[in-house]
Amino acid sequence: MTTDDERWEPGMPVLDRQAPRSAPVPATTPSPRTPTTAAMASTLPPSLAGLPPRSVPEVAPTPLQRHYINLSVIVLICGAIAISALELGSPLGSPLVKLCVLIAAPLLVVTTADAILRIWRSAWAWMPIDRVKGVFRLAWVAVSLIGLGALIAASIVVIVA
């Protein structure tokens, strides 16, 4: 089976993807924060007509989207080993803890950067539809960047120890 979606791979279920919005059009009940497209307004049941949209379509996959879970599992296992070693009394500079950090930290940095990219794209996709939701996602980008900096600093401390 084939599909026109470049994200589809053999073995994956076929999903009905939403088409990206072209331009916001006011809903049937005018509200400055609740624009929808004409196509959406015509297919919505009456109970949802006039409500703000709950999601926006993802236009393009992030670079690591198909590998994200596998990389995260490696990070999880390395983190569990390192934390267990520290709990059992190994010093921060022990070779086991350093090895786990050397393996997991680069993977965690890359997967976190990929997640930040996805949040960034989501923020700008929401801006023309609901500015508050877009700004909220930009705040998450800022928090994620701070967390990424802390992760890199902690990794350096362990490697130098």
Side-chain angles (χ1 to χ4, degrees):
M1 170 182 253
T2 60
T3 180
D4 58 350
D5 188 351
E6 70 276 355
R7 296 171 285 187
W8 184 83
E9 294 179 6
M12 290 176 57
V14 178
L15 302 174
D16 292 326
R17 301 270 182 194
Q18 298 175 356
R21 297 170 194 251
S22 55
V25 176
T28 54
T29 54
S31 173
R33 290 187 45 212
T34 60
T36 61
T37 62
M40 257 185 81
S42 66
T43 60
L44 287 175
S47 62
L48 295 178
L51 292 178
R54 298 186 307 180
S55 64
V56 293
E58 185 176 2
V59 179
T62 56
L64 291 178
Q65 186 172 8
R66 63 176 74 135
H67 308 293
Y68 191 83
I69 299 295
N70 295 331
L71 293 174
S72 297
V73 167
I74 296 169
V75 172
L76 176 67
I77 292 170
C78 288
I81 293 170
I83 291 170
S84 296
L86 291 170
E87 288 290 325
L88 292 173
S90 295
L92 194 60
S94 76
L96 178 62
V97 174
K98 283 187 177 187
L99 179 66
C100 289
V101 169
L102 285 172
I103 293 170
L107 297 177
L108 189 55
V109 167
V110 169
T111 55
T112 304
D114 190 69
I116 292 170
L117 174 63
R118 189 170 188 171
I119 300 167
W120 175 263
R121 288 179 180 174
S122 171
W124 291 108
W126 271 108
M127 284 298 190
I129 298 166
D130 188 342
R131 186 167 177 80
V132 174
K133 287 183 181 177
V135 171
F136 180 76
R137 282 160 177 78
L138 286 178
W140 273 106
V141 168
V143 169
S144 300
L145 288 171
I146 292 168
L148 185 60
L151 166 70
I152 293 170
S155 300
I156 291 171
V157 167
V158 171
I159 292 170
V160 171

